[in-house]
Coordinates of all heavy atoms in Angstrom, one line a residue:
D15 N 39.3 154.5 135.6 CA 40.6 154.7 135.1 C 41.2 153.5 134.3 O 42.3 153.6 133.8 CB 41.5 155.1 136.2 CG 41.9 154.0 137.2 OD1 41.3 152.9 137.1 OD2 42.7 154.3 138.1
G16 N 40.5 152.4 134.3 CA 40.9 151.2 133.6 C 41.8 150.3 134.3 O 42.2 149.2 133.8
S17 N 42.2 150.6 135.6 CA 43.1 149.8 136.3 C 42.5 148.5 136.7 O 43.2 147.5 137.0 CB 43.6 150.5 137.6 OG 42.5 150.8 138.4
Q18 N 41.2 148.3 136.7 CA 40.5 147.1 137.1 C 40.0 146.4 135.8 O 39.3 145.4 135.9 CB 39.4 147.4 138.0 CG 39.8 148.1 139.3 CD 40.7 147.2 140.1 OE1 40.5 146.0 140.3 NE2 41.8 147.8 140.6
G19 N 40.5 146.8 134.7 CA 40.1 146.2 133.4 C 38.8 146.8 132.8 O 38.4 146.4 131.7
F20 N 38.2 147.8 133.4 CA 37.1 148.4 132.8 C 37.4 149.9 132.6 O 38.0 150.5 133.4 CB 35.9 148.3 133.8 CG 35.3 146.9 133.8 CD1 35.7 146.1 134.9 CD2 34.4 146.5 132.9 CE1 35.2 144.8 135.0 CE2 33.9 145.2 133.0 CZ 34.3 144.3 134.0
R21 N 36.8 150.5 131.6 CA 36.9 151.9 131.4 C 35.6 152.5 131.8 O 34.6 151.9 131.8 CB 37.1 152.2 129.9 CG 38.4 151.9 129.3 CD 38.5 152.2 127.9 NE 37.4 151.5 127.2 CZ 37.2 151.6 125.9 NH1 37.9 152.4 125.2 NH2 36.2 150.9 125.3
K22 N 35.7 153.7 132.3 CA 34.4 154.4 132.7 C 33.6 154.7 131.4 O 34.1 154.9 130.3 CB 34.7 155.8 133.3 CG 35.3 155.6 134.7 CD 35.4 157.0 135.4 CE 35.8 156.8 136.8 NZ 35.7 158.0 137.6
A23 N 32.3 154.5 131.6 CA 31.4 154.8 130.4 C 31.4 156.3 130.1 O 31.7 157.1 131.0 CB 30.0 154.4 130.8
P24 N 31.3 156.6 128.8 CA 31.3 158.0 128.5 C 30.2 158.9 129.1 O 30.3 160.1 129.3 CB 31.2 158.0 127.0 CG 30.6 156.7 126.6 CD 31.0 155.8 127.7
N25 N 29.1 158.2 129.4 CA 28.0 158.9 130.1 C 27.8 158.2 131.5 O 27.6 157.0 131.6 CB 26.7 158.7 129.3 CG 26.8 159.3 127.9 OD1 27.3 160.4 127.8 ND2 26.4 158.6 126.9
A26 N 27.8 159.0 132.5 CA 27.6 158.5 133.9 C 26.3 157.7 133.9 O 25.2 158.1 133.4 CB 27.5 159.6 134.9
G27 N 26.4 156.5 134.5 CA 25.2 155.7 134.7 C 24.9 154.8 133.5 O 24.0 153.9 133.5
M28 N 25.6 154.9 132.4 CA 25.3 154.1 131.2 C 25.5 152.6 131.5 O 26.3 152.3 132.3 CB 26.3 154.5 130.1 CG 26.0 153.9 128.7 SD 27.1 154.7 127.5 CE 26.7 153.7 126.1
S29 N 24.7 151.8 130.9 CA 24.7 150.4 131.1 C 26.0 149.7 130.8 O 26.8 150.3 130.0 CB 23.6 149.7 130.4 OG 23.8 149.7 129.0
D30 N 26.3 148.6 131.3 CA 27.5 147.9 131.1 C 27.6 147.3 129.7 O 28.7 147.3 129.1 CB 27.7 146.7 132.1 CG 27.8 147.2 133.5 OD1 28.6 148.2 133.7 OD2 27.2 146.6 134.4
L31 N 26.5 146.8 129.2 CA 26.5 146.1 127.9 C 25.3 146.6 127.0 O 24.3 147.0 127.6 CB 26.3 144.6 128.1 CG 27.4 143.9 128.9 CD1 27.0 142.4 129.2 CD2 28.7 143.9 128.1
I32 N 25.5 146.5 125.7 CA 24.4 146.8 124.8 C 24.2 145.5 123.9 O 25.2 145.1 123.3 CB 24.7 148.0 123.9 CG1 24.9 149.2 124.8 CG2 23.5 148.2 123.0 CD1 25.4 150.4 124.0
M33 N 23.0 144.9 123.9 CA 22.8 143.7 123.1 C 21.9 144.2 122.0 O 20.9 144.9 122.1 CB 22.0 142.7 124.0 CG 21.6 141.5 123.2 SD 20.9 140.2 124.3 CE 19.4 141.0 125.0
S34 N 22.3 143.8 120.8 CA 21.5 144.1 119.6 C 20.6 142.9 119.2 O 21.1 141.8 119.1 CB 22.4 144.5 118.4 OG 23.2 145.6 118.7
L35 N 19.4 143.2 118.9 CA 18.4 142.2 118.5 C 17.7 142.8 117.3 O 17.6 144.0 117.1 CB 17.4 141.9 119.5 CG 17.9 141.2 120.8 CD1 16.7 141.1 121.8 CD2 18.4 139.9 120.5
V36 N 17.1 142.0 116.5 CA 16.2 142.4 115.4 C 14.8 141.9 115.9 O 14.5 140.8 116.0 CB 16.6 141.8 114.1 CG1 15.5 142.2 113.0 CG2 17.9 142.3 113.7
I37 N 13.9 142.9 116.1 CA 12.5 142.6 116.5 C 11.6 143.1 115.4 O 11.6 144.3 115.0 CB 12.2 143.3 117.8 CG1 13.1 142.8 118.9 CG2 10.7 143.2 118.2 CD1 12.9 143.5 120.2
N38 N 10.9 142.2 114.8 CA 10.0 142.5 113.7 C 10.7 143.3 112.6 O 10.2 144.3 112.1 CB 8.7 143.3 114.2 CG 7.9 142.4 115.1 OD1 7.8 141.2 114.9 ND2 7.3 143.0 116.1
K39 N 11.9 142.8 112.2 CA 12.7 143.4 111.2 C 13.3 144.8 111.5 O 13.7 145.5 110.6 CB 12.0 143.4 109.8 CG 11.6 142.0 109.4 CD 10.9 142.0 108.1 CE 10.5 140.6 107.7 NZ 9.8 140.5 106.4
V40 N 13.2 145.2 112.8 CA 13.8 146.5 113.2 C 14.9 146.2 114.2 O 14.7 145.5 115.2 CB 12.7 147.3 113.9 CG1 13.3 148.6 114.4 CG2 11.5 147.6 112.9
P41 N 16.1 146.7 113.9 CA 17.2 146.6 114.8 C 16.9 147.3 116.1 O 16.5 148.5 116.1 CB 18.4 147.2 114.1 CG 18.0 147.6 112.8 CD 16.5 147.5 112.7
V42 N 17.1 146.7 117.3 CA 16.8 147.3 118.6 C 18.0 147.0 119.5 O 18.6 145.9 119.5 CB 15.6 146.6 119.2 CG1 15.3 147.1 120.6 CG2 14.4 146.8 118.3
C43 N 18.4 148.0 120.3 CA 19.4 147.9 121.3 C 18.7 147.6 122.6 O 17.7 148.2 123.0 CB 20.2 149.2 121.4 SG 21.3 149.5 120.0
V44 N 19.3 146.6 123.3 CA 18.8 146.3 124.7 C 19.9 146.6 125.6 O 21.1 146.1 125.5 CB 18.4 144.8 124.8 CG1 17.9 144.5 126.2 CG2 17.4 144.4 123.7
W45 N 19.7 147.5 126.5 CA 20.7 148.0 127.5 C 20.7 147.1 128.7 O 19.7 146.9 129.3 CB 20.4 149.4 127.9 CG 20.3 150.3 126.7 CD1 19.1 150.6 126.0 CD2 21.3 151.1 126.2 NE1 19.4 151.5 125.0 CE2 20.8 151.8 125.1 CE3 22.7 151.3 126.5 CZ2 21.5 152.7 124.3 CZ3 23.4 152.2 125.7 CH2 22.8 152.8 124.6
L46 N 21.9 146.5 129.0 CA 22.0 145.5 130.1 C 23.0 146.0 131.1 O 24.1 146.4 130.9 CB 22.6 144.2 129.5 CG 21.7 143.5 128.4 CD1 22.5 142.3 127.9 CD2 20.4 143.1 129.0
E47 N 22.5 146.1 132.4 CA 23.3 146.4 133.5 C 23.6 145.1 134.2 O 22.7 144.4 134.6 CB 22.6 147.4 134.4 CG 23.4 147.8 135.6 CD 24.7 148.6 135.3 OE1 24.7 149.3 134.3 OE2 25.7 148.3 136.0
V48 N 24.9 144.8 134.4 CA 25.3 143.6 135.1 C 25.6 143.8 136.6 O 26.3 144.7 136.9 CB 26.5 143.0 134.4 CG1 27.0 141.7 135.1 CG2 26.3 142.8 132.9
K49 N 24.9 143.1 137.4 CA 25.1 143.2 138.9 C 25.3 141.9 139.5 O 24.9 140.9 139.0 CB 23.8 143.8 139.5 CG 23.5 145.3 139.1 CD 24.6 146.2 139.7 CE 24.3 147.6 139.4 NZ 25.4 148.5 139.7
K50 N 26.1 141.9 140.6 CA 26.3 140.7 141.4 C 25.0 140.5 142.2 O 24.2 141.5 142.4 CB 27.4 140.9 142.4 CG 28.8 140.9 141.8 CD 29.8 140.8 142.9 CE 30.4 142.2 143.1 NZ 31.5 142.1 144.1
S51 N 24.8 139.4 142.7 CA 23.6 139.1 143.6 C 23.6 140.1 144.7 O 24.6 140.4 145.4 CB 23.7 137.7 144.2 OG 22.5 137.4 144.9
G52 N 22.5 140.8 144.9 CA 22.4 141.8 146.0 C 22.8 143.2 145.5 O 22.7 144.2 146.2
G53 N 23.4 143.3 144.3 CA 23.8 144.6 143.7 C 22.6 145.5 143.4 O 21.6 145.0 143.1
R54 N 22.8 146.8 143.6 CA 21.8 147.8 143.3 C 22.3 148.8 142.3 O 23.4 149.1 142.3 CB 21.4 148.4 144.6 CG 20.9 147.5 145.7 CD 20.6 148.2 147.0 NE 20.5 147.3 148.1 CZ 19.3 147.0 148.6 NH1 18.2 147.5 148.0 NH2 19.2 146.2 149.6
L55 N 21.3 149.4 141.7 CA 21.6 150.5 140.7 C 22.0 151.7 141.5 O 21.4 152.1 142.5 CB 20.4 150.8 139.9 CG 20.0 149.7 138.9 CD1 18.7 150.2 138.1 CD2 21.1 149.4 137.9
S56 N 23.0 152.4 141.0 CA 23.4 153.7 141.6 C 22.3 154.8 141.1 O 21.5 154.5 140.2 CB 24.8 154.2 141.1 OG 24.7 154.5 139.7
K57 N 22.4 156.0 141.7 CA 21.5 157.0 141.3 C 21.6 157.3 139.8 O 20.6 157.5 139.1 CB 21.8 158.3 142.1 CG 20.9 159.5 141.7 CD 21.3 160.7 142.5 CE 20.4 161.9 142.0 NZ 20.9 163.2 142.4
T58 N 22.9 157.4 139.3 CA 23.0 157.7 137.9 C 22.6 156.6 137.0 O 22.1 156.8 135.9 CB 24.5 158.1 137.5 OG1 25.4 157.1 138.0 CG2 24.9 159.4 138.2
Q59 N 22.7 155.3 137.5 CA 22.2 154.2 136.7 C 20.7 154.2 136.7 O 20.1 153.9 135.6 CB 22.7 152.9 137.3 CG 24.2 152.7 137.1 CD 24.8 151.5 137.9 OE1 24.3 151.2 139.0 NE2 25.9 150.9 137.4
K60 N 20.1 154.5 137.8 CA 18.6 154.6 137.8 C 18.1 155.7 136.8 O 17.1 155.6 136.1 CB 18.1 154.9 139.2 CG 18.2 153.8 140.1 CD 17.7 154.1 141.5 CE 17.9 153.0 142.5 NZ 17.6 153.4 143.9
E61 N 18.8 156.8 136.8 CA 18.5 157.9 135.9 C 18.6 157.5 134.4 O 17.8 157.8 133.6 CB 19.4 159.2 136.1 CG 19.1 159.8 137.4 CD 20.1 160.9 137.9 OE1 21.2 161.0 137.2 OE2 19.8 161.6 138.9
F62 N 19.7 156.8 134.1 CA 19.9 156.2 132.7 C 18.8 155.3 132.4 O 18.2 155.3 131.3 CB 21.3 155.6 132.6 CG 21.6 155.1 131.2 CD1 22.1 155.9 130.3 CD2 21.3 153.8 130.9 CE1 22.4 155.5 129.0 CE2 21.5 153.3 129.6 CZ 22.1 154.2 128.6
K63 N 18.5 154.4 133.3 CA 17.4 153.4 133.1 C 16.1 154.1 132.8 O 15.4 153.8 131.8 CB 17.2 152.5 134.3 CG 16.0 151.5 134.3 CD 15.9 150.8 135.6 CE 14.8 149.8 135.6 NZ 13.5 150.3 135.4
D64 N 15.7 155.1 133.6 CA 14.5 155.9 133.5 C 14.5 156.6 132.1 O 13.5 156.6 131.4 CB 14.3 156.9 134.6 CG 14.0 156.2 135.9 OD1 13.7 155.0 136.0 OD2 14.2 156.9 137.0
R65 N 15.6 157.2 131.8 CA 15.7 157.9 130.5 C 15.5 157.0 129.3 O 14.8 157.2 128.4 CB 17.0 158.7 130.4 CG 17.1 159.7 129.3 CD 18.3 160.6 129.5 NE 19.6 159.9 129.7 CZ 20.3 159.9 130.8 NH1 19.9 160.6 131.9 NH2 21.4 159.3 130.9
T66 N 16.2 155.8 129.4 CA 16.1 154.8 128.3 C 14.7 154.4 128.1 O 14.1 154.3 127.0 CB 17.0 153.6 128.6 OG1 18.3 154.1 128.7 CG2 16.9 152.5 127.6
E67 N 14.0 154.0 129.2 CA 12.6 153.5 129.2 C 11.6 154.6 128.7 O 10.7 154.3 128.0 CB 12.2 152.9 130.5 CG 13.0 151.6 130.8 CD 12.7 151.0 132.1 OE1 12.3 151.7 133.0 OE2 13.0 149.8 132.2
R68 N 11.9 155.9 129.2 CA 11.0 157.0 128.8 C 11.0 157.2 127.3 O 10.0 157.5 126.7 CB 11.5 158.2 129.5 CG 10.5 159.4 129.3 CD 10.9 160.6 130.2 NE 12.2 161.1 130.1 CZ 13.2 161.0 131.0 NH1 12.9 160.4 132.1 NH2 14.4 161.5 130.8
F69 N 12.1 156.9 126.6 CA 12.2 157.0 125.2 C 11.9 155.7 124.4 O 12.2 155.6 123.3 CB 13.6 157.5 124.8 CG 13.8 159.0 125.1 CD1 14.6 159.4 126.2 CD2 13.2 160.0 124.3 CE1 14.8 160.7 126.5 CE2 13.3 161.3 124.7 CZ 14.1 161.7 125.7
G70 N 11.3 154.7 125.2 CA 10.9 153.5 124.5 C 12.0 152.4 124.4 O 11.8 151.4 123.8
G71 N 13.1 152.6 125.1 CA 14.2 151.6 125.1 C 13.9 150.5 126.0 O 13.0 150.5 126.8
I72 N 14.7 149.4 125.8 CA 14.6 148.2 126.6 C 15.8 148.2 127.5 O 17.0 148.2 127.0 CB 14.5 147.0 125.8 CG1 13.3 147.0 124.8 CG2 14.5 145.7 126.6 CD1 13.2 145.9 123.8
Y73 N 15.6 148.1 128.8 CA 16.7 148.1 129.8 C 16.4 147.0 130.8 O 15.3 146.7 131.2 CB 16.7 149.5 130.5 CG 17.8 149.6 131.6 CD1 18.9 150.4 131.3 CD2 17.7 149.1 132.8 CE1 19.9 150.6 132.2 CE2 18.7 149.2 133.7 CZ 19.8 150.0 133.4 OH 20.8 150.2 134.3
A74 N 17.5 146.3 131.1 CA 17.3 145.2 132.1 C 18.6 145.1 133.0 O 19.7 145.3 132.5 CB 17.1 143.8 131.3
V75 N 18.3 144.7 134.2 CA 19.4 144.4 135.1 C 19.6 142.8 135.1 O 18.6 142.1 135.3 CB 19.1 144.9 136.6 CG1 20.2 144.4 137.5 CG2 19.0 146.4 136.6
V76 N 20.7 142.4 134.8 CA 21.0 140.9 134.7 C 22.1 140.5 135.7 O 23.0 141.3 136.0 CB 21.3 140.5 133.3 CG1 20.1 140.7 132.4 CG2 22.6 141.2 132.8
K77 N 22.0 139.3 136.2 CA 23.0 138.8 137.1 C 23.7 137.5 136.6 O 24.6 137.0 137.2 CB 22.3 138.5 138.5 CG 21.8 139.8 139.1 CD 21.1 139.6 140.4 CE 20.7 141.0 140.9 NZ 19.8 140.9 142.0
S78 N 23.2 137.0 135.5 CA 23.8 135.8 134.9 C 23.4 135.7 133.4 O 22.5 136.4 132.9 CB 23.3 134.6 135.6 OG 21.9 134.4 135.4
I79 N 24.1 134.8 132.7 CA 23.8 134.5 131.3 C 22.3 134.0 131.3 O 21.6 134.2 130.3 CB 24.8 133.6 130.7 CG1 24.6 133.6 129.2 CG2 24.8 132.2 131.2 CD1 24.8 134.9 128.4
T80 N 21.9 133.2 132.3 CA 20.6 132.7 132.3 C 19.6 133.9 132.3 O 18.5 133.8 131.6 CB 20.4 131.8 133.5 OG1 21.3 130.7 133.5 CG2 18.9 131.2 133.6
D81 N 19.9 134.9 133.0 CA 19.0 136.1 133.0 C 18.9 136.7 131.6 O 17.8 137.1 131.2 CB 19.5 137.2 134.0 CG 19.3 136.9 135.4 OD1 18.6 135.9 135.8 OD2 19.9 137.7 136.3
V82 N 20.0 136.7 130.9 CA 20.0 137.2 129.5 C 19.1 136.3 128.6 O 18.3 136.8 127.8 CB 21.4 137.4 129.0 CG1 21.4 137.9 127.5 CG2 22.2 138.4 129.8
E83 N 19.3 135.0 128.7 CA 18.6 134.1 127.9 C 17.1 134.2 128.2 O 16.3 134.2 127.3 CB 19.0 132.6 128.2 CG 20.4 132.4 127.7 CD 21.1 131.1 128.2 OE1 20.6 130.5 129.2 OE2 22.0 130.6 127.6
N84 N 16.7 134.3 129.5 CA 15.3 134.5 129.9 C 14.7 135.8 129.3 O 13.6 135.9 128.9 CB 15.1 134.5 131.4 CG 15.4 133.1 132.0 OD1 15.3 132.1 131.3 ND2 15.7 133.0 133.2
L85 N 15.6 136.9 129.3 CA 15.1 138.1 128.8 C 14.8 138.0 127.3 O 13.8 138.5 126.8 CB 16.2 139.2 129.0 CG 16.0 140.5 128.3 CD1 14.7 141.2 128.8 CD2 17.2 141.4 128.4
V86 N 15.7 137.3 126.5 CA 15.5 137.1 125.1 C 14.2 136.3 124.9 O 13.4 136.7 124.0 CB 16.7 136.4 124.4 CG1 16.4 136.0 123.0 CG2 17.9 137.4 124.5
Q87 N 14.0 135.3 125.7 CA 12.7 134.5 125.6 C 11.5 135.4 125.9 O 10.5 135.3 125.2 CB 12.8 133.3 126.5 CG 13.8 132.2 126.1 CD 13.6 131.7 124.7 OE1 12.5 131.5 124.2 NE2 14.6 131.7 123.9
D88 N 11.6 136.2 126.9 CA 10.5 137.1 127.2 C 10.2 138.1 126.0 O 9.0 138.4 125.7 CB 10.8 137.9 128.5 CG 10.8 137.1 129.7 OD1 10.3 135.9 129.7 OD2 11.3 137.6 130.8
L89 N 11.3 138.6 125.4 CA 11.1 139.5 124.3 C 10.5 138.8 123.1 O 9.6 139.4 122.4 CB 12.4 140.2 123.9 CG 13.0 141.1 125.0 CD1 14.4 141.5 124.6 CD2 12.1 142.4 125.1
K90 N 10.9 137.5 122.9 CA 10.3 136.8 121.8 C 8.8 136.6 122.0 O 8.0 136.7 121.1 CB 10.9 135.4 121.7 CG 12.3 135.4 121.0 CD 12.8 134.0 120.9 CE 14.1 134.0 120.2 NZ 14.6 132.6 120.0
R91 N 8.4 136.3 123.3 CA 7.0 136.2 123.6 C 6.2 137.5 123.4 O 5.1 137.5 122.9 CB 6.8 135.7 125.0 CG 7.0 134.2 125.2 CD 6.5 133.7 126.6 NE 7.4 134.1 127.6 CZ 8.6 133.5 128.0 NH1 9.0 132.5 127.3 NH2 9.3 134.0 128.9
E92 N 6.8 138.6 123.8 CA 6.2 139.9 123.7 C 6.1 140.4 122.3 O 5.1 141.0 121.9 CB 6.9 140.9 124.6 CG 6.3 142.2 124.7 CD 6.9 143.2 125.7 OE1 7.7 142.8 126.5 OE2 6.6 144.4 125.6
F93 N 7.2 140.2 121.5 CA 7.2 140.9 120.2 C 7.1 139.9 119.0 O 7.2 140.3 117.9 CB 8.5 141.7 120.1 CG 8.6 142.8 121.0 CD1 9.4 142.8 122.1 CD2 7.8 144.0 120.8 CE1 9.5 143.9 123.0 CE2 7.8 145.0 121.7 CZ 8.7 145.0 122.8
G94 N 7.0 138.6 119.3 CA 7.0 137.6 118.3 C 8.3 136.9 118.2 O 9.3 137.4 118.8
D95 N 8.4 135.8 117.5 CA 9.6 135.0 117.4 C 10.7 135.5 116.5 O 11.6 134.8 116.1 CB 9.2 133.6 117.0 CG 10.0 132.5 117.7 OD1 10.7 132.9 118.6 OD2 9.9 131.4 117.3
S96 N 10.5 136.8 116.1 CA 11.5 137.3 115.1 C 12.8 137.9 115.8 O 13.6 138.3 115.1 CB 10.8 138.5 114.3 OG 10.5 139.5 115.2
C97 N 12.9 137.8 117.1 CA 14.1 138.3 117.7 C 15.1 137.2 118.0 O 14.8 136.1 118.0 CB 13.9 139.2 119.0 SG 12.6 138.8 120.1

């Protein structure tokens, strides 16, 4: 409802953030779910993650900016230094 500063996602389970990268000259969206330490995905979040990955998308659960930085480094190693 927005009372806590967040609006509900238009799709149940949709990730909190979308990060755009260019990998091998192709724009790619990386779906990021932000969790506190010990946080777990809900059923709808798991379904969104599974659907995203089934269609070849990149989805990650992150708990800090360091997690995001590490993810970008991992993607660079996997797809080349173009991201």
Side-chain angles (χ1 to χ4, degrees):
D15 70 355
S17 64
Q18 301 299 314
F20 290 97
R21 291 182 299 181
K22 287 188 175 191
N25 299 314
M28 188 173 174
S29 67
D30 295 319
L31 301 170
I32 303 170
M33 175 174 62
S34 297
L35 297 175
V36 176
I37 298 175
N38 296 324
K39 299 182 182 179
V40 176
V42 176
C43 290
V44 179
W45 303 87
L46 301 173
E47 181 62 36
V48 180
K49 293 290 182 193
K50 291 192 257 182
S51 183
R54 300 174 194 263
L55 295 177
S56 69
K57 179 183 176 195
T58 56
Q59 288 170 332
K60 287 178 187 173
E61 291 168 352
F62 183 86
K63 175 186 183 296
D64 292 344
R65 192 168 51 250
T66 299
E67 292 175 340
R68 187 170 57 249
F69 287 105
I72 301 170
Y73 183 101
V75 177
V76 296
K77 296 178 180 168
S78 67
I79 191 66
T80 301
D81 287 351
V82 176
E83 292 169 341
N84 290 338
L85 173 64
V86 171
Q87 291 304 314
D88 290 346
L89 292 171
K90 284 182 176 184
R91 280 192 289 280
E92 184 173 348
F93 295 107
D95 218 10
S96 63
C97 34

